[in-house]
Amino acid sequence: MTPTATRARRWTAADVPDQTGRVAVITGANTGLGYETAHVLAARGATVVLACRDPRRAADAVSRIEAAAPGARVQTLALDLSDLAAVRAAAAELRERHPEVDLLVNNAGVMWPPRSTTADGFELQFGTNHLGHFAFTGLVLDRLLPVAGSRVVTVSSIGHRSGRIDFDDLQSERGYGRHRAYAQSKLANLMFTYELQRRLEVAGVDTAAVAAHPGGSATELVRNSPPLIRALFPVVGPLFSQSAAQGALPTLRAATDPDVRGGEYYGPDGLGEVKGHPRRVASSARSHDKLAQRRLWQESLQLTGVSYPV
């Protein structure tokens, strides 16, 4: 194996290019994967906007990043993805602050909660993980389109592989399975990425849509796991998970590697894509169903009332 191939396989945070002059917006950046992504980008010189639901926790994250990277340019933005009115307000504030955005990372999410709904009546996981990000992206995308090399990176999951888009029951009203609803939302993240990339290519713009997944990462998302799993996680977790910092690497590569192309998907290179260093990976056959991608796009437009400039 050549030195170049070895380096590509073992991509790390040290490979993130200088980000000076770039504006990066990261949802759910006060903890876990989002925080680690924000930390690295800020340390590399980007102006990073932490778009978070809890202003207090966002402010604490800013303090931690500034302490670790003196001189970092970090801002907060109140964003509740489970409330479309709040999404619109956050998008309006971001547009007022930043006429151009280089990078949007759709990272925030919920996993396996008991059945509940968003402020707009959507099933919480589908409404937050997919519809909230779909709406926010559509409302700020025109800030990315004029910027050469701009990217929209959406974080999916290994769990997308068991996902199916149930167009007859998108909100799980006929029956709710927390794992099934999560898998649907993560499959939707990928289908959104692929359809957005197709539309960007048709429009002839330089913005790219890319996806990533963290493998098994030790983050706060496990808080809704069954009690037994939560109790055993500190003991057995290291066998099938990695740190949030390591889990953030596929997102960072998708966001910054000059060789990345629109429509690609990045995840860990280890067995089952659970752990390891980031590389380009494949997604399920269902995620590439173009008819389903377009149908999901149309359903999402109707549900959110948001239009796209592409």
Side-chain angles (χ1 to χ4, degrees), residues 4 12 16 23 49 90 115 136 150 168 175 179 194 197 213 226 230 238 259 292:
T4 299
T12 72
V16 173
V23 174
V49 180
R115 192 184 193 285
F136 188 64
S150 59
D168 294 324
H179 299 92
Y194 298 150
Q197 177 60 28
H213 81 81
R230 293 201 305 272
D259 294 329

Side-chain angles (χ1 to χ4, degrees), residues 17-273:
D18 179 60
Q19 299 294 296
T20 301
R22 300 188 83 203
V23 174
V25 181
I26 307 170
T27 69
N30 60 276
T31 188
L33 303 172
Y35 173 81
E36 298 296 341
T37 302
H39 182 190
V40 172
L41 293 176
R44 295 292 187 278
T47 296
V48 182
V49 180
L50 279 56
C52 306
R53 184 171 58 86
D54 187 332
R56 180 186 59 80
R57 298 185 70 188
D60 177 66
V62 169
S63 297
R64 285 182 284 138
I65 291 173
E66 290 177 339
R73 292 180 291 276
V74 192
Q75 306 171 4
T76 64
L77 176 72
L79 171 63
D80 183 351
L81 291 163
S82 68
D83 184 339
L84 289 178
V87 171
R88 289 182 179 278
E93 183 175 344
L94 180 66
R95 292 167 60 83
E96 184 175 338
R97 284 197 221 164
H98 296 286
E100 292 187 341
V101 173
D102 299 79
L103 172 65
L104 171 60
V105 179
N106 291 322
N107 162 83
V110 291
M111 183 174 78
W112 304 343
R115 192 184 193 285
S116 55
T117 57
T118 69
D120 304 280
F122 307 133
E123 185 276 315
L124 184 62
Q125 296 181 91
F126 186 74
T128 302
N129 299 351
H130 170 60
L131 291 176
H133 280 127
F134 180 92
F136 188 64
T137 303
L139 291 165
V140 302
L141 186 60
D142 66 340
R143 291 299 193 252
L144 288 93
L145 296 180
V147 181
S150 59
R151 296 181 190 178
V152 177
V153 177
T154 300
V155 179
S156 183
S157 165
I158 294 174
H160 88 274
R161 294 191 171 279
S162 62
R164 295 175 182 268
I165 305 297
D166 186 349
F167 287 107
D168 294 324
D169 190 23
L170 283 174
Q171 311 307 334
S172 302
E173 294 171 320
R174 298 177 184 173
Y176 178 70
R178 63 179 69 192
H179 299 92
R180 184 174 68 249
Y182 178 73
Q184 175 180 247
S185 74
K186 293 288 103 179
L187 176 58
N189 287 154
L190 276 166
M191 296 173 78
F192 161 69
T193 296
Y194 298 150
E195 178 63 11
L196 176 58
Q197 177 60 28
R198 186 188 71 81
R199 290 169 176 266
L200 292 167
E201 290 175 358
V202 170
V205 296
D206 195 34
T207 302
V210 190
H213 81 81
S217 296
T219 71
E220 290 186 3
L221 281 180
V222 300
R223 63 181 177 273
N224 289 314
S225 302
L228 179 60
I229 292 179
R230 293 201 305 272
L232 292 176
F233 193 84
V235 177
V236 301
L239 299 176
F240 55 85
S241 68
Q242 56 191 357
S243 68
Q246 188 74 13
L249 291 181
T251 300
L252 283 163
R253 184 167 191 179
T256 67
D257 187 335
D259 294 329
V260 166
R261 297 294 177 262
E264 294 182 342
Y265 181 39
Y266 287 81
D269 63 1
L271 181 66
E273 299 174 21

